[in-house]
Amino acid sequence: MRLKPIYILTENLNFFYKINNGLKNKGVRFRILSFWDIIPKIPSIILTTSKESSQIVIINKNINLLEFKDGNDINQYILKVLAVFRLGYQDYDNFLFSIDPGLNHIGIVSFLDDYFLDSTTLTDNSQVINYIKKNYDYIKQDNTKPISLEIKFGRGLLEITQDLVNRAFSTFSNILDMKVVLIDESNTSKIKIANRGKKFPKHEAAALILSFRDGFDVNSQNYKTIFKIDKLNLLNRDRISRNSKGFTKEYLVGFSKIGEEVIIGEISLSESKKLIQNLINFE
């Protein structure tokens, strides 16, 4: 996927400081323009404030001008920037969140229309569902049609996962097209993921690995029964965890490369699953 270059065009120092730090933290490269510069003619994304947008003349329909309004949440604005940067300015169909629950650290990665969007590490499980809701609601604002929601929960800590699933069904009861999946967490710590040569945070890496896996679909009527069965260790492990050949040096290197390609937007989640399956078959 070809990513559009991002330009920051503003004289608002407060906005510049926030967006500069925000994009750097996300590992997104950008360039800086002044109002004296010529607006690029190539397809690109220009970030500015709503008060300054009237000073910018856009003559290329392939340029997306994203305005930040005073008082808005800068983190949600950055999420919108990431969406346009990675997928373009369009209506989106599906929002997927993959969660690696933990006692003190919770890794989360999100995918929009099958492409990696963002990741974060939270320190309190009570924040997880609110984080998902804020991101889902913000992306939904500009959409002209409903967006389906899929949430994958690692089931390594069953009590924590069950609480999160319960909150998810309660919070998103108004979303008709919603899918909740329980994923086996076995061996996620064995696989290391990099992002442009830098180590990807381990809890987010675990959540990313979970996103590649299939699991058990649950709904608001059966999930409590499913958790009772799981506590008795009666649920089968998924294939990627069972495969004894899946942890050779060659496999780990190949898997890590696929993970990095997903993070930087070179391949989709669906493509990554096929490539990982090819690694297993090759082994």
Side-chain angles (χ1 to χ4, degrees), residues 7-135:
Y7 296 91
I8 299 176
L9 178 51
T10 184
E11 293 180 346
N12 184 318
L13 295 181
N14 184 46
F15 169 67
F16 178 81
Y17 175 79
K18 290 179 178 178
I19 193 64
N20 176 63
N21 287 343
L23 292 180
K24 283 184 176 179
N25 288 338
K26 297 299 181 183
V28 176
R29 299 173 182 174
F30 57 88
R31 302 170 190 173
I32 299 172
L33 291 175
S34 74
F35 284 97
W36 300 102
D37 293 326
I38 297 174
I39 299 298
K41 295 181 180 180
I42 60 173
S44 55
I45 302 167
I46 298 179
L47 311 181
T48 190
T49 65
S50 57
K51 292 181 179 179
E52 295 170 305
S53 62
S54 61
Q55 304 176 50
I56 304 172
V57 179
I58 303 297
I59 58 176
N60 187 334
K61 65 178 181 179
N62 291 317
I63 292 179
N64 298 122
L65 183 65
L66 301 185
E67 304 174 14
F68 177 75
K69 297 179 181 179
D70 288 342
N72 283 4
D73 186 327
I74 189 66
N75 292 319
Q76 292 188 345
Y77 174 77
I78 290 172
L79 186 74
K80 182 177 181 179
V81 173
L82 291 176
V84 176
F85 174 59
R86 300 189 192 284
L87 291 101
Y89 196 91
Q90 62 188 50
D91 270 351
Y92 307 111
D93 295 311
N94 174 263
F95 211 165
L96 182 151
F97 294 85
S98 181
I99 319 294
D100 175 48
L103 294 174
N104 300 308
H105 295 91
I106 307 94
I108 304 178
V109 298
S110 58
F111 290 81
L112 192 59
D113 283 0
D114 211 30
Y115 279 89
F116 176 82
L117 178 65
D118 196 14
S119 68
T120 192
T121 300
L122 302 179
T123 56
D124 189 339
N125 282 285
S126 65
Q127 302 171 343
V128 173
I129 301 304
N130 186 51
Y131 172 87
I132 294 174
K133 187 177 189 308
K134 285 178 64 177
N135 284 275

Side-chain angles (χ1 to χ4, degrees), residues 151-155 158 161 165 180-184 214-218 223 226-227 230 235 238:
I151 311 176
K152 291 187 171 184
F153 290 103
R155 54 187 178 90
L158 287 178
T161 302
V165 171
V180 174
V181 187
L182 303 180
I183 308 292
D184 177 25
D214 296 324
F216 294 91
D217 292 7
V218 297
Y223 78 92
I226 294 295
F227 275 103
D230 205 0
L235 296 183
D238 58 53

